[in-house]
Amino acid sequence: MNDIRDANTKMRGLPPEQRAEILQELVAKKTEVLKKLRVAVINAIPHEYAATNIVFGEPEVIPVIGKREAMIEYVTLQDRAGNDLYVALAGTSGQGIAQAAAATALIAHKCPWLETVILIGIAAGQPNLSDKEKDVRLGDIVVGDKMIQYDHIKRTDGKTELRGDNLQPGDSGMLATVRRLVASQFRTDSNAPRKAWEDFISLNVSKLANAERPSPPQDPNSVKRNYSKGHNFQRSDDLPFVHVGTIGSANILLKDAAFRNELNQNHKIIAYEMEGAGVAIAAASMRMGYLNVRGICDYGDSSKDDNWQTYASLCAASFARAIIEGA
């Protein structure tokens, strides 16, 4: 896109007719790129965005044409067939449902051919210390096939009724890819497909400060697990395992194990965060699909700290890229 930037410079001081001709060429080239931007990714906070930048690669920029236009960053990835995939980077929205909805609406406005938005970030996970298969651990990845806004409630005389359980589900096409990737976790044969997200993690972990996987003692549940179910369930203890299920979203920084477990029991929520409902609502209003990809950094209880946040961000970004590329 350097030719667009050069054209902006060349227009200065030219006669109106020549400026109009250059501007027309500029708009045509910009539109050509915009038409290729069918997927956008959104992060809430800086270290999530840093992980996305590292994993997806340094972005290119579509320069502004008018004074009021906003700059658009994008990266070029490739699918399994080697075709280029153009992905817009929406940047950081800030924490909260309204902020995420605004960021989704803005990137949809800036990229009118956009079809899907992927939210990449960290979340609290739902542990299950008695069932190995259902235990969501620190460093795992959760992809939402359903979204619940658990702070959207009706309260009557001390009783609450959930109202936020009718949000648009995750994009069906991308979820089909997710389930194929998840299935590959269970293959041990010599023809098993590579787990591209694990490659992205190992290739990029040294490029991001504090991104090394924390040691087992930094997982407060590592000494509490006493599985009575799922003994034969095979999963790695030192690599992220990918779960698919319901994600709960609210303007709540969750540090309450009892409340978390109640939400899990009543609504089958397996991860908790603060932006997904906004993306789901805005995407539905723009007639777009969305997907929520989360790295697990804490358990939403009193043990919450920041030790796993950067590693979890890296895991989420790595799996999101694997989804987009269909690896």
Side-chain angles (χ1 to χ4, degrees):
M1 297 302 292
N2 287 332
D3 52 345
I4 295 182
R5 190 178 291 106
D6 294 341
N8 268 322
T9 302
K10 290 177 182 178
M11 282 195 296
R12 296 171 185 168
L14 292 177
E17 296 82 2
Q18 287 182 272
R19 291 182 65 186
E21 184 178 341
I22 293 173
L23 183 61
Q24 186 176 9
E25 180 184 352
L26 188 66
V27 170
K29 289 181 177 179
K30 180 174 181 178
T31 302
E32 182 182 358
V33 176
L34 287 174
K35 285 182 176 180
K36 296 176 181 178
L37 292 173
R38 300 303 177 93
V39 177
V41 297
I42 296 177
N43 308 106
I45 52 181
H47 63 69
E48 296 171 348
Y49 183 64
T52 298
N53 267 177
I54 290 294
V55 172
F56 281 55
E58 288 302 314
E60 299 178 70
V61 177
I62 302 177
V64 298
I65 295 176
K67 292 181 179 179
R68 296 185 180 181
E69 282 195 348
M71 182 177 65
I72 300 172
E73 292 187 330
Y74 70 98
V75 294
T76 306
L77 306 179
Q78 286 191 329
D79 65 17
R80 291 190 293 170
N83 300 309
D84 286 343
L85 301 169
Y86 291 75
V87 181
L89 304 181
T92 56
S93 66
Q95 291 180 313
I97 289 173
Q99 291 87 336
T104 303
L106 178 60
I107 195 65
H109 173 73
K110 290 161 65 174
C111 304
W113 285 271
L114 206 61
E115 296 175 351
T116 311
V117 176
I118 302 179
L119 179 61
I120 303 172
I122 56 176
Q126 177 66 48
N128 190 322
L129 303 180
S130 63
D131 190 334
K132 188 176 182 180
E133 184 173 1
K134 295 181 179 179
D135 191 21
V136 180
R137 303 181 187 178
L138 301 187
D140 280 356
I141 298 163
V142 173
V143 180
D145 58 359
K146 183 179 179 181
M147 174 72 60
I148 288 178
Q149 185 180 345
Y150 64 86
D151 64 349
H152 183 188
I153 60 172
K154 174 184 177 182
R155 188 169 182 87
T156 306
D157 296 331
K159 296 181 180 180
T160 60
E161 176 188 340
L162 183 67
R163 292 290 185 90
D165 59 349
N166 59 347
L167 300 180
Q168 173 177 304
D171 182 81
S172 59
M174 286 197 165
L175 281 171
T177 299
V178 169
R179 293 189 173 97
R180 177 169 53 79
L181 297 178
V182 168
S184 71
Q185 296 180 118
F186 303 104
R187 290 185 59 176
T188 58
D189 60 286
S190 59
N191 295 321
R194 69 187 182 93
K195 300 179 182 65
W197 63 96
E198 292 180 0
D199 294 340
F200 295 144
I201 293 169
S202 62
L203 286 170
N204 294 295
V205 66
S206 63
K207 302 175 185 178
L208 196 62
N210 304 314
E212 291 286 345
R213 183 182 176 93
S215 61
Q218 294 186 68
D219 180 348
N221 285 353
S222 61
V223 296
K224 299 178 182 178
R225 297 184 178 103
N226 185 21
Y227 298 131
S228 59
K229 297 180 181 179
H231 291 293
N232 296 325
F233 185 77
Q234 295 186 4
R235 60 153 296 163
S236 172
D237 290 328
D238 54 11
L239 289 171
F241 189 82
V242 184
H243 309 261
V244 179
T246 301
I247 293 180
S249 185
N251 288 309
I252 297 172
L253 185 62
L254 187 61
K255 296 179 68 175
D256 186 334
F259 182 47
R260 177 204 66 200
N261 291 341
E262 181 183 347
L263 289 168
N264 172 254
Q265 182 177 1
N266 293 337
H267 308 295
K268 309 303 180 185
I269 296 174
I270 62 171
Y272 307 83
E273 45 87 309
M274 300 176 64
E275 295 83 30
V279 172
I281 292 166
S285 70
M286 300 286 180
R287 297 184 179 180
M288 297 189 303
Y290 80 95
L291 198 65
N292 196 356
V293 182
R294 294 287 173 166
I296 301 304
C297 65
D298 63 71
Y299 292 119
D301 59 15
S302 59
S303 70
K304 175 178 170 59
D305 59 31
D306 297 341
N307 292 340
W308 288 77
Q309 287 191 356
T310 306
Y311 177 75
S313 297
L314 177 64
C315 292
S318 296
F319 195 70
R321 177 172 173 177
I323 296 167
I324 293 169
E325 294 185 325

